[in-house]
Amino acid sequence: MKTAARKVKKLAYWLPLSEQWWAKLDLLKALVQRDLSARYKGSILGNLWPLLNQLSQLLIYTYVFSIVLQVKLSLKGLPTNNLTFGLWLFAGLLPWIAFTGGLFQASGSVVGQPNLVKKVVFPLALLPLVPVLSAFIESTFGLMALIVLVAVSSNTIHSTLWLLPLVWLPQLLLTAGLGYLTAGLTVFLRDVPQTLGVILNLWFYLTPLVYPASVIPQEWRGWVFWLNPLAAIAEVYRDLILVGEVTHWGEWGVATLVSVVGFFGGLWVYRRLRPAFADVL
């Protein structure tokens, strides 16, 4: 604990943030911890449930696409078998699960906390961030399992894993930006979460997660990566974890740019709508 406190003090020394910002970060940390504890409070398996849910999706998709539909995949450094396809599939699903889980819960984060909304001193900008960060933290359980499975299958741990924070940045910005947008709109239009569910189902099949991007016609492939940041994020996950080489730097750059625009756009809408939250709720 003393070591962690010293690290926080060092971080506070190097980051030029005011005491007000550090207080908000401490509050955000406490809210995320409370959210994660409340999700599995009283259950026997506790925090193992996120990992079990992600592994169950991995098994289902692997069985359907690799065994039933006989889809084969060849990756550098990995044997050509059903496990490799499952690992490839899981590497793409991890950011998608964190994105959809965080976004869907963020859409109801304001209407689900009317008592906090009516408190003048509570920083409402934190509410959509809590489920976004909770879903991201839960996805790290699956990420650690994936890294172990890849290490066992290929007998190596790629040094490119150190670059994972680079792909987490656009992933979190995009999720938070759309989370702000949907959380604000849901206060006035309660159909937003249901509509979001339909859009995410369509978005899932428009993203090369359960099929390789190579099956997309060449003339359309560029547009998919340009217009769909999740496609680029999933491919960079696979580059970093499975292959050990980054071959999608350009797509990552476009996805980061789109995510930054999406974050500030969503935050702008949220701030414009925020003064009326208490009147509606």
Side-chain angles (χ1 to χ4, degrees), residues 166-239:
L166 292 179
V167 75
W168 291 339
L169 176 66
Q171 176 187 334
L172 286 171
L173 286 175
L174 182 68
T175 314
L178 294 180
Y180 275 127
L181 177 67
T182 55
L185 293 177
T186 300
V187 176
F188 305 94
L189 299 169
R190 300 302 173 94
D191 294 332
V192 169
Q194 288 74 21
T195 306
L196 183 62
V198 176
I199 293 173
L200 289 177
N201 282 333
L202 180 62
W203 195 341
F204 177 80
Y205 288 103
L206 292 176
T207 306
L209 297 174
V210 296
Y211 56 86
S214 58
V215 304
I216 303 173
Q218 183 69 36
E219 60 271 23
W220 291 100
R221 200 177 305 162
W223 286 103
V224 170
F225 284 110
W226 273 85
L227 299 176
N228 187 352
L230 261 301
I233 290 171
E235 288 302 309
V236 177
Y237 258 79
R238 287 162 173 160
D239 284 352

Side-chain angles (χ1 to χ4, degrees), residues 118-130:
K118 294 173 183 176
K119 287 185 177 180
V120 179
V121 295
F122 187 83
L124 295 182
L126 300 185
L127 286 179
L129 293 181
V130 174

Side-chain angles (χ1 to χ4, degrees), residues 32-141:
V32 172
Q33 288 176 333
R34 189 185 69 170
D35 183 48
L36 289 172
S37 299
R39 291 186 181 195
Y40 307 103
K41 186 177 182 181
S43 64
I44 297 175
L45 297 180
N47 290 328
L48 283 177
W49 276 115
L51 177 60
L52 293 175
N53 288 331
Q54 293 168 44
L55 290 178
S56 67
Q57 293 189 46
L58 166 66
L59 293 175
I60 292 170
Y61 284 119
T62 301
Y63 177 77
V64 172
F65 286 92
S66 184
I67 297 177
V68 177
L69 299 179
Q70 294 293 310
V71 178
K72 299 296 181 185
L73 195 68
S74 178
L75 288 176
K76 179 182 176 183
L78 290 170
T80 305
N81 54 31
N82 294 335
L83 177 61
T84 295
F85 181 82
L87 297 176
W88 174 87
L89 187 63
F90 197 32
L93 284 176
L94 274 174
W96 176 261
I97 293 171
F99 169 71
T100 54
L103 176 58
F104 196 76
Q105 293 172 50
S107 66
S109 59
V110 176
V111 295
Q113 301 286 348
N115 294 331
L116 293 179
V117 172
K118 294 173 183 176
K119 287 185 177 180
V120 179
V121 295
F122 187 83
L124 295 182
L126 300 185
L127 286 179
L129 293 181
V130 174
V132 171
L133 293 176
S134 295
F136 174 74
I137 292 171
E138 285 187 340
S139 74
T140 59
F141 291 98

Side-chain angles (χ1 to χ4, degrees), residues 251-268:
E251 292 84 350
W252 172 83
V254 173
T256 302
L257 181 62
V258 172
S259 300
V260 169
V261 173
F263 174 78
F264 285 105
L267 182 60
W268 181 81

